[in-house]
């Protein structure tokens, strides 16, 4: 749900100049990220795979938030992964 919210907002801002996109991210995306990381920190699970994913996420939090620093940075690296897949 958190990711869906972020991607939905990004689609709305797709045509904005980078500085406007950055401003919108700081206003609207930050609260979603804070809610997500709060949920992740509070979630205790016996499911090993979910626990590993949550720990990975929390350990890399600062990197997941890099897209907030510059409106030119995409929300995901999907395009990069698609580009290197043939290699």
């Amino acid at each position: 749900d958190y990711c869906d919210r972020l991607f939905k907002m990004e689609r709305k801002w797709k045509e904005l100049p980078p500085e406007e996109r950055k401003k919108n991210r700081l206003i609207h995306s930050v609260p979603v990220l804070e809610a997500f990381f709060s949920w992740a920190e509070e979630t205790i699970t016996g499911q090993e795979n979910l626990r590993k994913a949550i720990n990975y996420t929390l350990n890399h939090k600062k990197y997941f938030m890099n897209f907030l620093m510059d409106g030119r940075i995409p929300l995901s690296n999907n395009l990069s992964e698609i580009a290197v897949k043939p290699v």
Side-chain angles (χ1 to χ4, degrees), residues 36-85:
F36 168 72
F37 286 114
S38 176
W39 169 84
E41 289 168 357
E42 295 171 4
T43 299
I44 299 171
T45 179
Q47 297 176 4
E48 183 179 356
N49 288 340
L50 180 57
R51 187 173 62 249
K52 284 182 181 179
I54 289 173
N55 286 335
Y56 177 88
T57 299
L58 293 174
N59 289 334
H60 292 85
K61 179 179 177 179
K62 69 179 182 177
Y63 304 113
F64 289 129
M65 298 180 74
N66 278 343
F67 79 102
L68 298 171
M69 295 187 301
D70 189 325
R72 296 172 295 176
I73 299 173
L75 177 60
S76 78
N77 67 343
N78 289 344
L79 293 177
S80 299
E81 289 186 16
I82 290 168
V84 298
K85 196 171 191 172

Side-chain angles (χ1 to χ4, degrees), residues 26-42:
L26 294 175
I27 294 167
H28 303 287
S29 297
V30 169
V32 175
L33 289 166
E34 289 174 347
F36 168 72
F37 286 114
S38 176
W39 169 84
E41 289 168 357
E42 295 171 4

